[in-house]
Amino acid sequence: DQQVKQNSPSLSVQEGRISILNCDYTNSMFDYFLWYKKYPAEGPTFLISISSIKDKNEDGRFTVFLNKSAKHLSLHIVPSQPGDSAVYFCAARPIYGNKLVFGAGTILRVKS
Amino acid sequence: GAGVSQSPSNKVTEKGKDVELRCDPISGHTALYWYRQSLGQGLEFLIYFQGNSAPDKSGLPSDRFSAERTGGSVSTLTIQRTQQEDSAVYLCASRAGTGVPGELFFGEGSRLTVL
């Protein structure tokens, strides 16, 4: 059973516009949610995270929103840049344990 | 280097052969993970080492898969009698005891192709 779901396999956005990547989870027993970014032939790298007690965390062009009642989080990138083109993975950390559960990823293409 | 190092970067093998994949984590990181990414799939957890504790092997897909971590540092993932469905990118990650909760530092992965 997929505990973390990214239902959009891909997203295409014009440079300068906002990119919104979505993630849903089914288990309430997560205390941190993280976004990772992956370029081809490289390992994923940490981008931004949010604690389950918060509803927003912002870091430069990147903002993560958490809606606990809907079990939904989203990553906003504003403004989008061509260098943001990558696969974005949503991940969740269980309250008990340190095994991150990852979604399937969303391919973001930012067109110049 | 300062990052997680994995070898080989690419491995092509014949069905039924054994393979070993190596991971050298960031120095001082106490936790080490193996994940794999099959084509079009997300990252699938395989195994987790934390210090001297018994590893969490709950993600290993079959008894053909095993892993060890020697001296609390380098880890080897072994796949015996490889099958075509084992073809994937195997990613190793390490985690520090401090810092952002849940932040993993990944290597570039070992791409395994089983013919």
Side-chain angles (χ1 to χ4, degrees):
Chain A
D1 63 331
Q2 275 188 296
Q3 298 185 62
V4 177
K5 300 179 184 179
Q6 294 178 256
N7 293 318
S8 297
S10 65
L11 174 68
S12 186
V13 172
Q14 196 66 37
E15 180 180 7
R17 305 296 288 268
I18 185 171
S19 295
I20 300 177
L21 298 108
N22 295 302
C23 178
D24 298 294
Y25 59 97
T26 58
N27 187 338
S28 297
M29 302 299 284
F30 294 125
D31 64 350
Y32 277 91
F33 299 90
L34 304 93
W35 286 94
Y36 282 77
K37 177 179 177 180
K38 184 182 183 303
Y39 291 119
E42 295 184 10
T45 56
F46 169 75
L47 186 58
I48 191 170
S49 66
I50 187 168
S51 164
S52 61
I53 63 173
K54 301 275 181 72
D55 54 20
K56 177 182 175 181
N57 187 28
E58 188 173 353
D59 183 2
R61 296 186 297 113
F62 303 91
T63 303
V64 57
F65 295 93
L66 176 62
N67 182 333
K68 286 186 287 296
S69 61
K71 294 189 174 64
H72 177 84
L73 68 155
S74 60
L75 174 67
H76 292 209
I77 306 173
V78 181
S80 301
Q81 300 174 354
D84 296 329
S85 298
V87 179
Y88 289 78
F89 290 99
C90 171
R93 189 184 84 158
I95 291 173
Y96 302 109
N98 279 292
K99 299 183 302 188
L100 290 190
V101 180
F102 285 85
T106 296
I107 300 170
L108 174 65
R109 296 187 185 90
V110 180
K111 299 175 290 185
S112 56
Chain B
V4 176
S5 178
Q6 291 188 245
S7 61
S9 54
N10 275 289
K11 176 71 176 179
V12 180
T13 190
E14 293 179 348
K15 178 181 171 181
K17 295 286 179 69
D18 297 352
V19 296
E20 284 190 351
L21 307 176
R22 176 189 166 105
C23 173
D24 201 340
I26 294 172
S27 177
H29 280 195
T30 57
L32 186 148
Y33 300 74
W34 284 97
Y35 283 83
R36 73 175 176 181
Q37 184 181 17
S38 303
L39 190 63
Q41 303 297 312
L43 277 68
E44 175 190 5
F45 168 79
L46 297 177
I47 188 169
Y48 160 55
F49 297 88
Q50 172 65 61
N52 295 322
S53 302
D56 180 344
K57 304 179 182 180
S58 60
L60 295 179
S62 78
D63 59 7
R64 296 185 295 105
F65 287 73
S66 63
E68 63 177 20
R69 188 179 185 192
T70 53
S73 181
V74 172
S75 176
T76 302
L77 176 69
T78 302
I79 309 172
Q80 296 178 308
R81 304 181 302 283
T82 53
Q83 303 293 312
Q84 288 183 334
E85 61 262 27
D86 300 335
S87 297
V89 177
Y90 289 81
L91 290 159
C92 176
S94 66
R95 177 175 57 81
T98 58
V100 175
E103 181 180 5
L104 303 183
F105 294 81
F106 283 89
E108 294 185 348
S110 293
R111 179 178 296 277
L112 175 66
T113 303
V114 182
L115 302 177

